[in-house]
Each structure stands twice: as C-alpha cells, then as structure tokens.
Amino acid sequence: MMANLINGKEVSKNVKDRVKSETAEFINASGITPGLAVVIVGNDPASRVYVNSKKKACAEVGFNSYEYALPETTTQQELLELVEKLNNDPKVNGILCQLPLPSQIDENAVINAIKPEKDVDAFHPFNVGKIMIGEYSFLPCTPAGVMELIDSTGTDISGKNCVVIGRSNIVGKPMAMLLLHRNGTVTICHSRTRNLAEICRNADILVAAVGKANFVTGDMVKDGAVIIDVGMNRLENGKLCGDVNFEEVEKKASYITPVPGGVGPMTIAMLMKNTLTAAKLQNK
Ligand code: NAP
C-alpha cells in the first residue's frame, strides 16, 4: 500500500486564508495594518529566496512588509541599532532577522535584542521559556507548521510514540515540546543516539529534522506510521530533497510529506499567523 501524501501547499493555503480573513477583520476594527520587518544581512542566495517568499506571503494576507537589506560587512553594533529602532517603531509588529548571519555577528545577541512581543520567530529565550511551560502566544514556525500537517491527517497524537530526529533550538527541541503538550510519548534522537533505527521503528509519528539526504530509510519505519520530513537538502544536481528516502518510506507509511511541498510552505504560513497575533497583542 502506498502512503497518502500530506499536501503542505494546500494546508498552508488554508492557514494563510484564515490569516487573511482575520487580518481584514482586524484592520476594519482597529484601522491598523499588521507590519513585518524582514532583516537580511549579506548576499546568501538561499536567504534571499526565503526573504522574498516571506514578503510575498505578507502581501497575500494583507500585511505591510518592510525589508532592511544590510551589507555583508555590517557590524553587530549596527544590526543591534536597527533592531532597537524596529523595537520602537509602532508600524512594525513583528521582527524577523533572517539567519544565518555573517560570522562577525553573534546570532544570540541579536535574537536576545528583539522585543519578545515582536519576536515572531519565537527564538527569544523569553518565548522559548513560554513554549516550555506550554503557555505561548508565538509558536515556533516550523514545529507549529508540522503540528498543522499532522492534524490535517486526523491522527490523534495522544499516547502515540513520537520520535523526533534532531535537537536544534529552532526545530528539534520545540518540536518535541509541542508533541509532548499534545500528550505524545516523545523520544528525541541526535548524533549520539544508540540504536536509532530501532527507536524509529517504534514511532507512530516520526519527524526527521537532521539535514542529511535519505537519512530515514524504509527499514527504519513502522507500517502505518505518519512521516514528517523537515529536511531541506540541496543535492549536487541542484535538486531539493528531504531527510527521508521517499521511495522506500512511502511504501510503509500511512501518511508522508513530500519535499518540496510539505513542511517548507508551512513555516511561512505560521510566520504570518504569528505576525497577526503580534499585531493584536500590541493593539489590545
Ligand atoms: P541542525 O541545527 O543542523 O540540527 C541537526 C540535528 O540533527 C542535530 O541535533 C544533530 O545532532 C542531528 N543529527 C545530525 N546527524 C545525525 C545523525 N547521523 N544521527 C542522528 N542525528 C543526527 O539543523 P536544523 O536547523 O534543525 O534543520 C534540520 C533540517 O531541517 C535541515 O535540513 C534544514 O535545512 C531543515 N529545515 C527546514 C525548515 C523548513 O521550513 N522546512 C526550517 C528549518 C530547518 P547533534 O545535536 O548531536 O549534533
């Protein structure tokens, strides 16, 4: 049996449509148009693609977006001054600083400088702490997008074995926490994990956020599992591929996300949702 495909384009469009109609209502009621500031430092081509997609999504849902493109040579002090200006700008409800930053800038210093109520990526320690407690206004975009995808399959997470491969601060760790909040029994795997394949074979829900093409093979997957592939790996031929060996795994899974067209579009949709939440919180 072949797995059902989880359509990230469709699910993300539903999220954006909801944000769009709520934004129209919010503008009607308050006269305020939500604004997202997008900061990009340097000329990384992948970052440029992400920033363009984020600006495009803002236009789609009815937000203003303000781009700040700074040169590769920008100092930490200069970037921190910009963040401070945006923190104090009432037109700006959300601040997004596209990572990675050039090596002369300490990413944590920048993340820590963003006002928590404008931190629509939910990377600030204050928001990370709120996620831990389970009382959050901003969900971290990629893990929140994954939750929407799982929910779109109708899978009940409660009591299920959930395995997350990867423990980064932006994907793996918050992903595990969101699954735990929904009463999953969560295991986090990483590069030191022993018997990783065996642990994965136990998963009813498997989320791969490793950054290695074809890492998850068919023999690591339980029959009927839900497979979410967060990986975005650029192959030598320029093709984008996930962490999961799709051909092998789709023969065993009940549901699987494709790459591209799975988790990728969700991240931006959730960023839009967070920006609207920020605008509402700042204009109560
Ligand atoms: P990361 O910071 O590089 O983290 C990778 C994680 O995978 C680490 O925790 C690492 O373990 C673990 N890992 C590496 N090799 C492993 C191995 N052989 N066995 C088990 N675990 C291993 O990456 P990330 O930022 O979380 O991103 C992960 C992937 O998701 C990347 O492909 C990235 O491009 C993609 N991504 C996609 C989106 C999206 O919107 N779709 C958003 C963000 C990221 P250690 O901690 O032990 O080193």
Side-chain angles (χ1 to χ4, degrees):
M1 218 188 64
M2 287 294 197
N4 296 295
L5 215 56
I6 305 176
N7 188 338
K9 279 192 191 144
E10 198 178 291
V11 180
S12 69
K13 185 174 181 304
N14 294 341
V15 172
K16 281 191 284 184
D17 285 348
R18 262 192 335 258
V19 173
K20 185 178 176 176
S21 65
E22 281 179 38
T23 298
E25 281 169 32
F26 174 73
I27 294 173
N28 249 330
S30 68
I32 292 160
T33 302
L36 177 68
V38 186
V39 181
I40 174 169
V41 185
N43 308 308
D44 179 47
S47 291
R48 177 37 66 195
V49 172
Y50 294 138
V51 163
N52 288 348
S53 315
K54 288 167 187 176
K55 282 164 59 188
K56 188 167 152 257
C58 281
E60 278 170 37
V61 299
F63 298 168
N64 291 325
S65 67
Y66 310 98
E67 180 181 317
Y68 294 83
L70 306 181
E72 186 76 35
T73 52
T74 302
T75 64
Q76 179 163 320
Q77 188 54 34
E78 285 166 333
L79 182 54
L80 290 176
E81 277 164 21
L82 172 61
V83 168
E84 192 49 27
K85 192 180 107 182
L86 299 174
N87 278 341
N88 296 318
D89 183 344
K91 291 196 302 298
V92 172
N93 302 113
I95 302 170
L96 180 140
C97 195
Q98 186 65 45
L99 302 180
L101 293 168
S103 56
Q104 74 274 17
I105 300 175
D106 173 8
E107 283 184 358
N108 282 333
V110 176
I111 290 170
N112 291 352
I114 295 173
K115 241 191 203 173
E117 65 251 47
K118 295 193 177 186
D119 170 40
V120 284
D121 263 333
F123 290 165
H124 190 287
F126 178 82
N127 287 322
V128 173
K130 299 238 291 184
I131 292 158
M132 191 82 162
I133 298 166
E135 280 180 14
Y136 32 78
S137 339
F138 301 128
L139 296 155
C141 298
T142 300
V146 171
M147 298 305 284
E148 292 276 342
L149 292 176
I150 296 172
D151 286 339
S152 79
T153 68
T155 303
D156 182 11
I157 298 167
S158 182
K160 297 276 164 62
N161 287 338
C162 304
V163 174
V164 179
I165 320 176
R167 55 170 164 181
S168 71
N169 288 332
I170 64 169
V171 189
K173 274 188 222 165
M175 185 72 248
M177 209 47 66
L178 298 193
L179 290 163
L180 182 63
H181 291 327
R182 296 279 296 276
N183 301 318
T185 301
V186 184
T187 307
I188 307 175
C189 298
H190 47 78
S191 65
R192 311 289 174 87
T193 298
R194 291 184 199 160
N195 307 326
L196 184 131
E198 200 181 309
I199 295 167
C200 291
R201 271 194 292 279
N202 246 319
D204 303 305
I205 299 169
L206 179 64
V207 181
V210 193
K212 293 205 158 90
N214 294 319
F215 186 86
V216 176
T217 48
D219 61 305
M220 291 163 69
V221 170
K222 178 174 168 176
D223 280 325
V226 174
I227 307 293
I228 307 286
D229 190 350
V230 182
M232 291 211 288
N233 308 297
R234 191 65 69 181
L235 300 180
E236 269 175 25
N237 62 13
K239 251 186 80 178
L240 194 67
C241 96
D243 291 341
V244 175
N245 183 320
F246 189 89
E247 282 69 38
E248 287 181 25
V249 172
E250 75 166 336
K251 297 192 182 94
K252 297 183 83 177
S254 60
Y255 289 91
I256 186 169
T257 59
V259 177
V263 177
M266 292 308 297
T267 300
I268 294 182
M270 302 320 283
L271 176 70
M272 298 300 114
K273 187 174 170 180
N274 282 350
T275 303
L276 177 60
T277 303
K280 286 181 175 171
L281 287 173
Q282 287 157 39
N283 295 284
K284 261 201 214 137

